[in-house]
């Protein structure tokens, strides 16, 4: 008999499940700030622009601006098959919330809705929907573009461009300006 204590090693079962932030079954992830009429969503489902408009509409809004960012079929003359997006939701929702709250404060908006699709986004389908409402069109136009640019610059959402030839490249959302020029 050995005087050494016997050590039992328990083997942990191998988990084949995805972490919750990568598991589409744990979505949509939403955040609603009713005091400012802010609606945020991260989802694997196709985006519905009519929902974003209905969330931001208000009797005091004379202007409602809607933006859809869609997957196009080429990038620098290279045929694109699809885009694929991933994120870490707690961080992304915190950033999107800060962007929306700042827009409401700066532009006097009556509502903001930002929805971003995750996973595979085929050609012609929307990866982002932004709706803003304001009393007047000037504020709504400026805010809509500003919200989009800040989402692309700051939101922790990462994009893989998948090409028809089988290649793929991770891209920063902010690798191009509003006119498509490299930044």
């Amino acid at each position: 008999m050995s005087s050494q204590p016997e050590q039992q090693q328990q083997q942990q079962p191998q988990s084949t499940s995805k972490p919750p932030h990568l598991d589409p079954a744990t979505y949509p992830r939403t955040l609603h700030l009713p005091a400012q009429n802010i609606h945020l969503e991260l989802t694997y489902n196709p985006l519905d622009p009519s929902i974003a408009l209905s969330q931001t509409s208000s009797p005091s809004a004379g202007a409602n601006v809607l933006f859809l960012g869609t997957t196009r079929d080429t990038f620098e003359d290279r045929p694109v098959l699809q885009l694929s997006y991933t994120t870490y939701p707690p961080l992304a929702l915190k950033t999107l919330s800060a962007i929306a709250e700042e827009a409401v404060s700066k532009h006097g908006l009556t509502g903001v809705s930002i929805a971003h699709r995750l996973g595979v986004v085929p050609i012609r389908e929307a990866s982002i929907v932004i709706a803003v409402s304001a009393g007047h069109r000037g504020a709504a136009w400026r805010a809509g573009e500003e919200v989009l640019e800040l989402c692309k610059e700051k939101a922790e959402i990462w994009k893989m461009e998948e090409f028809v030839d089988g290649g793929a490249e991770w891209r920063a959302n902010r690798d191009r300006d509003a006119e498509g020029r490299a930044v």
Side-chain angles (χ1 to χ4, degrees):
M1 228 183 212
S2 169
S3 62
Q4 300 276 334
E6 200 171 321
Q7 294 182 354
Q8 291 186 334
Q9 291 185 345
Q10 292 185 326
Q11 291 187 354
Q12 298 294 325
Q14 292 273 343
S15 175
T16 58
S17 66
K18 295 180 180 181
H21 72 281
L22 295 176
D23 183 357
T26 66
Y27 288 80
R29 305 280 181 95
T30 62
L31 179 62
H32 179 217
L33 305 172
Q36 296 166 300
N37 194 26
I38 292 172
H39 302 265
L40 308 173
E41 180 178 32
L42 299 170
T43 184
Y44 280 81
N45 297 323
L47 301 175
D48 184 347
S50 63
I51 291 174
L53 282 173
S54 71
Q55 290 172 332
T56 60
S57 69
S58 162
S60 61
N64 295 282
V65 172
L66 175 68
F67 172 82
L68 302 176
T70 57
T71 302
R72 65 180 174 274
D73 63 0
T74 58
F75 179 77
E76 295 180 345
D77 297 323
R78 193 170 173 195
V80 171
L81 176 65
Q82 62 192 15
L83 298 180
S84 184
Y85 292 88
T86 190
T87 191
Y88 181 65
L91 193 54
L93 287 170
K94 181 178 177 182
T95 299
L96 293 174
S97 176
I99 291 167
E101 289 178 281
E102 175 64 23
V104 167
S105 174
K106 180 178 179 181
H107 298 284
L109 301 178
T110 60
V112 177
S113 178
I114 305 169
H116 205 297
R117 188 163 168 192
L118 303 172
V120 172
V121 182
I123 303 297
R124 298 178 71 182
E125 291 190 19
S127 57
I128 189 168
V129 172
I130 296 172
V132 299
S133 60
H136 301 281
R137 68 182 178 275
W141 279 119
R142 286 188 300 275
E145 185 169 20
E146 186 175 294
V147 167
L148 172 64
E149 294 303 324
L150 288 171
C151 286
K152 291 177 84 51
E153 180 182 332
K154 295 183 176 189
E156 296 82 1
I157 299 170
W158 302 281
K159 170 176 66 175
M160 179 186 290
E161 213 158 28
E162 299 176 42
F163 298 98
V164 172
D165 64 14
E169 294 180 26
W170 284 102
R171 297 208 187 276
N173 272 331
R174 185 63 174 160
D175 63 357
R176 302 277 165 176
D177 67 11
E179 307 306 320
R181 295 180 297 255
V183 291

